[in-house]
Amino acid sequence: MLDCKIDVLLGKMEVDQAIRGSDDMRLKTKYNNAIYVIQRALALYSIEEVALSFNGGKDSTVLLHLLRAGYFLHKGEQSCSNGGLTSFPLRTIYFESPSAFPEINTFTYDAASRYGLQLDIIRSDFKSGLENLFKANPIRAIFLGVRIGDPTAVGQEQFSPSSPGWPPFMRVNPILDWSYRDVWAFLLTCKVQYCSLYDQGYTSIGSIHDTTPNSLLCISDSSGHKEKFKPAYLLSDGRSERAGRVKKCSPISQSSPVAEDGLDDPESQVKRMRTGSAIAVGDEIL
């Protein structure tokens, strides 16, 4: 158990050290800005009052490690003196769906175990799930992995209150100004684990009903064998990130929306369900 706690502590430190030791000045700037947003939120709310919305996608994986580093830096010398850095006490919300890729579920539960996450699993619709969660926990802010360009990012800022009719909480978006390139620069620089689907050509992951590998990453094979794809981080143009998303009518996906690469805004997911979309998925969740 002690070795596990030491690994958690070292992981937080290694992320910060990896970024600061990088020659990528753009990544350093994005990292510092995101850490500032996180530390500002942790100064406004106690650790018991905040939560992370995690879905196993690349954006939420970046956010998870930013939060771990930000919490370590926020606690600083105070935690070093009392031993408080051996755990990461942030609540983590996971909207589980039967339409999710098995690899996403596996990665999410593995990450929860590896980093000691307090996982709150919601299997009902998003709004009622949050309402029930809030009744039992005094959550006032939720960290999301929304990025500019995501369908759910319209009108959002780094700190955006929830909409009328929803449980009152602050949406905190530390990577709002990050690009596809920034996400992969962080994951590769910090050498953190991510969902295996991204090494199979998937660049934007929704449900099993609307997601395929990105054809721009397909490796030509004249032999007629099974198609092969390059990993997601080799996509040269981030504007084609969602090229693997397709529209397929599926009764299951209509009733069981799946969060996508990061943390989608739960409010936006419900709005899409209410408009009767053929595919109701969470785009770049939180």
Side-chain angles (χ1 to χ4, degrees), residues 22-41:
S22 170
D23 295 327
D24 190 334
M25 297 308 298
R26 175 185 170 90
L27 179 59
K28 284 184 176 180
T29 298
K30 296 294 184 179
Y31 173 78
N32 288 333
N33 290 343
I35 291 296
Y36 171 77
V37 173
I38 290 169
Q39 290 182 314
R40 183 180 171 196

Side-chain angles (χ1 to χ4, degrees), residues 5-282:
K5 290 183 177 181
I6 292 174
D7 288 342
V8 170
L9 171 57
L10 291 177
K12 298 173 187 176
M13 297 170 61
E14 288 171 357
V15 166
D16 187 68
Q17 291 171 356
I19 298 297
R20 301 198 183 284
S22 170
D23 295 327
D24 190 334
M25 297 308 298
R26 175 185 170 90
L27 179 59
K28 284 184 176 180
T29 298
K30 296 294 184 179
Y31 173 78
N32 288 333
N33 290 343
I35 291 296
Y36 171 77
V37 173
I38 290 169
Q39 290 182 314
R40 183 180 171 196
L42 293 177
L44 291 171
Y45 308 102
S46 69
I47 194 66
E48 295 81 15
E49 295 175 326
V50 297
L52 159 67
S53 180
F54 186 77
N55 73 338
K58 63 184 184 299
D59 299 336
S60 62
T61 300
V62 167
L63 184 57
L64 167 63
H65 291 286
L66 286 172
L67 283 168
R68 295 175 67 240
Y71 178 70
F72 165 76
L73 295 169
H74 174 70
K75 299 299 289 185
E77 292 183 359
Q78 174 188 352
S79 292
C80 288
S81 63
N82 62 22
L85 285 181
T86 55
S87 64
F88 181 59
L90 187 68
R91 304 197 71 87
T92 303
I93 304 171
Y94 180 49
F95 294 97
E96 188 177 83
S97 167
S99 299
F101 281 88
E103 293 88 344
I104 284 289
N105 282 330
T106 297
F107 176 74
T108 296
Y109 288 111
D110 285 349
S113 176
R114 185 181 309 117
Y115 302 116
L117 305 180
Q118 302 178 36
L119 207 59
D120 287 304
I121 303 171
I122 295 178
R123 296 184 175 91
S124 60
D125 68 90
F126 300 102
K127 186 176 181 180
S128 62
L130 285 179
E131 289 174 339
N132 292 332
L133 180 63
F134 283 17
K135 289 178 182 178
N137 303 279
I139 296 174
R140 298 177 58 196
I142 299 178
F143 289 100
L144 311 175
V146 171
R147 292 189 286 118
I148 291 287
D150 294 345
T152 62
V154 177
Q156 289 214 45
E157 300 179 359
Q158 290 176 327
F159 288 83
S160 293
S162 57
S163 301
W166 277 75
F169 67 95
M170 184 66 70
R171 292 174 288 190
V172 185
N173 305 307
I175 63 170
L176 190 62
D177 65 341
W178 285 44
S179 67
Y180 183 84
R181 178 265 184 201
D182 298 327
V183 166
W184 281 110
F186 178 90
L187 293 173
L188 297 178
T189 297
C190 297
K191 299 179 180 179
V192 296
Q193 295 186 29
Y194 51 83
C195 180
S196 61
L197 290 174
Y198 293 111
D199 285 336
Q200 301 172 36
Y202 292 85
T203 54
S204 176
I205 302 173
S207 80
I208 57 176
H209 304 292
D210 79 327
T211 307
T212 63
N214 194 318
S215 61
L216 296 174
L217 294 174
C218 185
I219 300 174
S220 299
D221 185 356
S222 58
S223 65
H225 294 155
K226 183 179 180 180
E227 286 185 321
K228 295 183 178 180
F229 295 84
K230 293 180 285 187
Y233 57 79
L234 292 181
L235 183 68
S236 58
D237 187 349
R239 292 173 297 180
S240 301
E241 175 182 357
R242 297 175 61 82
R245 302 301 294 275
V246 296
K247 297 292 185 181
K248 295 181 181 179
C249 292
S250 169
I252 296 178
S253 63
Q254 288 178 353
S255 61
S256 303
V258 175
E260 183 192 336
D261 294 335
L263 299 173
D264 192 19
D265 187 345
E267 296 180 24
S268 299
Q269 294 169 341
V270 171
K271 289 176 182 177
R272 284 194 292 277
M273 292 170 65
R274 288 175 177 170
T275 58
S277 301
I279 297 293
V281 298

